[in-house]
Amino acid sequence: EVQLVESGGGLVQPGGSLTLNCTPSGITVHELAIGWFRQAPGKNREAVSCIATSQGAPYYADSVRGRFTISRDIAENTVYLQMDRMKIEDTDVYYCEALKPPLCTANAAMYDLWGQGTQVTDSS
């Protein structure tokens, strides 16, 4: 069974940093587009970032570009979302999503696999 396992959420202060991890089981990150989305209560899921083998530069939402960095470690079969200079509005539940073939899209409905979500909370 193919699954996505997320980790790395927690408490963070404004201006701080946090790294989220997404590790698929049963498939390699090389075969997938891996996207990070976030969702606040009562709101639609928002695309944050995405990385895929078949595409050049990763995708970033305007709200996080320059502060967040997505990367992929093939050996660890893990995609990371490094979040720096965080803002209060970054505190949401973050979801890792995967799509095959590996073509990034900001449309959450297009993704085939979803992680369980990891909470990022303002600690101030």
Side-chain angles (χ1 to χ4, degrees):
E1 182 181 2
V2 178
Q3 292 181 330
L4 298 177
V5 178
E6 300 148 341
S7 61
L11 299 174
V12 63
Q13 291 186 341
S17 298
L18 204 61
T19 301
L20 305 181
N21 308 325
C22 176
T23 302
S25 62
I27 196 166
T28 65
V29 295
H30 183 76
E31 302 173 74
L32 301 167
I34 299 283
W36 284 99
F37 289 73
R38 63 189 182 187
Q39 188 169 24
K43 294 188 177 181
N44 292 330
R45 199 162 291 196
E46 173 193 12
V48 175
S49 184
C50 183
I51 189 168
T53 301
S54 59
Q55 294 176 289
Y59 163 83
Y60 293 101
D62 289 342
S63 58
V64 307
R65 187 175 293 112
R67 300 187 297 117
F68 290 11
T69 304
I70 192 170
S71 62
R72 185 177 56 187
D73 188 323
I74 301 298
E76 295 293 326
N77 201 40
T78 297
V79 169
Y80 304 97
L81 184 67
Q82 174 68 38
M83 304 185 292
D84 298 318
R85 303 195 305 278
M86 293 189 69
K87 303 177 180 179
I88 291 177
E89 53 262 41
D90 293 325
T91 54
D92 279 322
V93 178
Y94 283 73
Y95 295 90
C96 170
E97 305 182 11
L99 175 62
K100 186 175 182 181
L103 296 173
C104 285
T105 173
N107 184 350
M110 296 296 293
Y111 286 77
D112 303 314
L113 299 171
W114 301 75
Q116 77 281 5
T118 185
Q119 178 73 53
V120 175
T121 304
D122 175 26
S123 65
S124 62

